[in-house]
């Protein structure tokens, strides 16, 4: 089980541009969108980290950007890490798919595409999961459904 | 935003025979549709189609206070309602740095295990019924009724409890709670061997489940399968052991692991877990400390800005709650990583190459609850 310091050293070797926000509940890493696939492969295949289990893959709409959030666990060491990719292009968000690294990512990515409209490069079957094709992207903050109004 | 829609990419060949299982098939226990491609009686591939009861719980959470969200979580995995409630409560308590009284932890853990027992009983009876053993259904429901009566007496509802609230419990448990729970354990310890006599040792049943739907440990990890389904493939993934919450650090229990990885292994894990649940309840029920049933909480809960993450073990696997708060009384974003969502998509791997008659056994052994997949 590695601590934050050891994890960040390993990650910085793989992706020098990675940043580590302070004061978070779990160890967090923010990486540029173009590095996510390489980092995912690295973290899974590195013997010290062995992040072989993708707990969840989701996104958050911060209105200024879209952030894709990956929660990873290792079935061997049971340490957790959170990867984040900030997508500044809210109109046409695009990030590499990690479904080649973790099979479960294929379906989590489909869910994110369905609810946020974030597209994933090289995804084997990127189509909507829950909703109809012409429905909007409901988890975006600017989404407004005239029939079932949910206002905060 | 370019509204480009990506069409179905699977190319279907002419001789493929497509049959839809569901969305109203009795063995899917909900509205789930499997698009099954057959060659003769052999399954070539299988595509799950979901979303028939997508209610947008994550979107609704963004408009609700944390006390209101509790009631939405009941409706995800309705057979683990109490455990779902606890997940949200614990994420709020951790964020607010509230220490809940010991009494609450004990009662929550006992109720978790009663909930798990009731869930496994319903799974067992429905699994038997799926495979044609109707008697099992009556045995299971007969015993589950005792647990639901305990629930009803203490918090007025049988299925969707909403008994947890951030900081503790809605009110204290009924004075009869301890007595009735102990009576139930004594009763069920006698009845559980009947389950084995009826189904586990039954040769017709064993022929249907042994060697069917093999899942390797690697596949379970890759697809994020958790809970009893993964433990049937020798993957130790019990959150109660990995990161104990509630009173789980005060009790002794075994994590049931099987190495076979087939439908029968997943069946045996759940049967073993019923014994373990009873063991946990017995260790706690006499030692419930006196004290308050809730910590002092403000009526309006505002989580400090930040991100919070908490995992619990439901009857079906790992439920993770991820909250992004901006300091308001409603969450900015709430994500539920539901166990059934990940468990469902391994179906194609398990069923492809097998016979269509095994499909019911495989989907039954994964113990899917559809509202938890759709959310």
């Amino acid at each position: 089980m590695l601590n934050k310091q050891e994890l960040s050293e390993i990650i910085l070797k793989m992706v020098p541009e990675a940043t580590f926000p302070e004061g978070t509940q779990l160890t967090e890493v923010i990486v540029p969108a173009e590095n996510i696939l390489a980092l995912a492969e690295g973290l899974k295949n590195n013997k010290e980290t062995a992040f072989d289990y993708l707990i969840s893959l989701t996104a958050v709409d911060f209105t200024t950007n879209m952030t894709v959030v990956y929660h990873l666990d290792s079935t061997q060491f049971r340490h957790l890490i959170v990867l984040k990719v900030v997508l500044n292009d809210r109109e046409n968000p695009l990030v590499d798919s990690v479904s080649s690294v973790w099979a479960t990512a294929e379906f989590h990515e489909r869910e994110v595409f369905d609810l946020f409209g974030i597209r994933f490069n090289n995804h084997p079957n990127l189509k909507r999961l829950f909703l109809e094709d012409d429905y909007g992207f409901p988890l975006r903050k600017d989404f407004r459904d005239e029939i079932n109004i949910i206002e905060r | 935003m370019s509204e480009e829609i990506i069409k179905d990419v699977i190319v279907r060949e002419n001789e493929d025979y497509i049959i839809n299982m569901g969305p109203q098939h009795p063995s899917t226990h909900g509205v789930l549709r499997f698009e099954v491609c057959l060659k003769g009686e052999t399954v070539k591939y299988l595509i799950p189609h979901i979303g028939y009861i997508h209610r947008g719980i994550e979107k609704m959470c963004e408009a609700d206070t944390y006390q209101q969200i509790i009631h939405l979580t009941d409706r995800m995995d309705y057979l683990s309602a109490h455990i779902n409630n606890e997940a949200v409560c614990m994420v709020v308590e951790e964020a607010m740095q509230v220490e809940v009284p010991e009494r609450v932890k004990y009662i929550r853990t006992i109720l978790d295990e009663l909930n798990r027992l009731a869930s496994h009983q319903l799974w067992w009876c429905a699994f038997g019924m799926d495979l044609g053993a109707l008697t099992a259904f009556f045995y299971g429901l007969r015993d589950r009724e005792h647990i639901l009566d305990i629930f009803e007496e203490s918090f007025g509802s049988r299925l969707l409890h909403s008994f947890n609230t951030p900081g503790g419990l809605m009110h204290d448990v009924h004075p009869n709670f301890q007595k009735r729970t102990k009576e139930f354990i004594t009763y069920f310890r006698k009845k559980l061997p009947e389950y084995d006599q009826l189904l586990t040792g039954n040769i017709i049943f064993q022929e249907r489940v042994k060697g069917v739907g093999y899942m390797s440990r690697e596949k379970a990890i890759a697809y994020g399968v958790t809970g009893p389904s993964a433990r049937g493939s020798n993957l130790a993934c019990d959150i109660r052991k990995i990161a104990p919450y509630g009173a789980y650090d005060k009790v002794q229990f075994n994590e049931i692991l099987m190495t076979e990885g087939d439908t029968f292994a997943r069946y045996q894990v759940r049967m073993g877990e019923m014994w373990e649940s009873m063991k946990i309840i017995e260790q706690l029920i006499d030692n419930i400390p006196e004290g308050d049933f809730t910590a002092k909480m403000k009526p309006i809960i505002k989580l400090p800005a930040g991100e919070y993450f908490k995992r619990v073990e439901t009857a079906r696997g790992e439920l993770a709650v991820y909250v992004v708060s901006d300091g308001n009384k409603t969450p900015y974003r709430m994500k539920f990583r539901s166990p059934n969502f990940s468990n469902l998509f391994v179906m194609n791997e398990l069923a492809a190459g097998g016979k269509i008659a095994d499909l019911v056994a495989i989907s039954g052994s994964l113990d899917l609850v559809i509202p938890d997949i759709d959310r």
Side-chain angles (χ1 to χ4, degrees), chain A residues 93-143:
Chain A
L94 189 68
V95 66
D96 285 337
S97 168
V98 292
S99 55
S100 56
V101 186
W102 301 285
T104 182
E106 180 183 340
F107 309 100
H108 283 98
E109 283 172 354
R110 270 179 73 183
E111 187 189 349
V112 169
F113 169 66
D114 192 5
L115 303 176
F116 286 91
I118 295 174
R119 309 274 301 271
F120 292 88
N121 280 332
N122 302 325
H123 188 283
N125 184 19
L126 192 66
K127 55 178 188 172
R128 301 196 70 149
L129 194 60
F130 301 123
L131 302 169
E132 289 150 28
D133 287 347
D134 55 354
Y135 206 85
F137 299 117
L139 282 180
R140 285 183 172 223
K141 291 289 173 185
D142 53 7
F143 175 81

Side-chain angles (χ1 to χ4, degrees), chain A residues 25 53 58-59 84 111 141, chain B residues 307 309 318 332-333 375:
Chain A
Q25 190 196 16
Y53 166 35
T58 186
K84 282 185 174 177
E111 187 189 349
K141 291 289 173 185
Chain B
E307 299 180 9
F309 184 75
E318 174 182 342
Y332 187 77
R333 166 97 173 96
R375 301 192 298 288

Side-chain angles (χ1 to χ4, degrees), chain A residues 24-26 28 52-63 69 71 73 75 78 80 82 84 90-93 101-108 110-111 113 115-119 124-131 133-141 143 150-152, chain B residues 1-10 47-52 54 56 58-60 62-63 91 94 217 221-226 235-239 242 307-311 318 320 322 324 326 328-337 341-342 345-346 373-375:
Chain A
T24 52
Q25 190 196 16
L26 305 170
E28 276 186 23
D52 50 1
Y53 166 35
L54 177 74
I55 304 172
S56 96
L57 192 166
T58 186
V60 186
D61 180 7
F62 284 109
T63 63
V69 186
H71 285 92
D73 188 1
T75 53
R78 290 294 173 191
L80 298 175
V82 186
K84 282 185 174 177
R90 239 179 125 261
E91 291 308 303
N92 199 9
V101 186
W102 301 285
T104 182
E106 180 183 340
F107 309 100
H108 283 98
R110 270 179 73 183
E111 187 189 349
F113 169 66
L115 303 176
F116 286 91
I118 295 174
R119 309 274 301 271
N125 184 19
L126 192 66
K127 55 178 188 172
R128 301 196 70 149
L129 194 60
F130 301 123
L131 302 169
D133 287 347
D134 55 354
Y135 206 85
F137 299 117
L139 282 180
R140 285 183 172 223
K141 291 289 173 185
F143 175 81
I150 302 171
E151 290 290 303
R152 174 176 164 141
Chain B
M1 176 78 206
S2 61
E3 292 280 339
E4 190 188 324
I5 294 150
I6 294 153
K7 290 288 173 201
D8 205 337
V9 293
I10 291 171
I47 306 169
H49 289 272
I50 58 177
Y52 289 94
H54 179 68
E58 287 173 13
K59 182 73 180 176
M60 279 196 271
E62 292 175 11
V91 88
E94 232 170 71
R217 188 175 188 272
I221 297 173
Y223 278 87
V225 181
T226 48
L235 172 59
C237 58
D238 198 330
I239 306 298
I242 297 165
E307 299 180 9
Y308 308 99
F309 184 75
K310 186 76 191 172
R311 341 195 247 167
E318 174 182 342
Y322 170 60
V324 182
D326 57 355
N328 248 315
K329 62 180 180 182
T330 58
Y332 187 77
R333 166 97 173 96
M334 194 113 183
K335 155 84 181 169
F336 296 104
R337 182 265 187 220
F341 182 85
S342 296
F345 289 104
V346 81
I373 299 168
D374 283 355
R375 301 192 298 288

Side-chain angles (χ1 to χ4, degrees), chain B residues 21-24 28 30-34 48-50 52 344 368 370:
Chain B
M21 182 174 157
Q24 299 289 346
T28 56
V31 274
L32 166 72
R33 177 161 67 95
F34 291 122
H49 289 272
I50 58 177
Y52 289 94
L344 166 71
L368 302 169
I370 315 305

Side-chain angles (χ1 to χ4, degrees), chain A residues 10-76:
Chain A
I10 294 171
I11 290 167
L12 279 175
K13 266 182 217 157
M14 295 176 193
V15 182
E17 299 91 350
T19 53
F20 300 85
E22 286 297 319
T24 52
Q25 190 196 16
L26 305 170
T27 310
E28 276 186 23
V29 192
I30 300 175
V31 287
E34 59 268 23
N35 296 110
I36 185 66
L37 184 58
L39 180 65
E41 278 170 356
L43 284 178
K44 188 191 172 191
N45 297 330
N46 188 319
K47 283 202 168 54
E48 284 175 70
T49 54
F51 283 110
D52 50 1
Y53 166 35
L54 177 74
I55 304 172
S56 96
L57 192 166
T58 186
V60 186
D61 180 7
F62 284 109
T63 63
T64 48
N65 65 59
M66 292 280 209
T67 304
V68 187
V69 186
Y70 306 75
H71 285 92
L72 303 182
D73 188 1
S74 160
T75 53
Q76 193 183 345

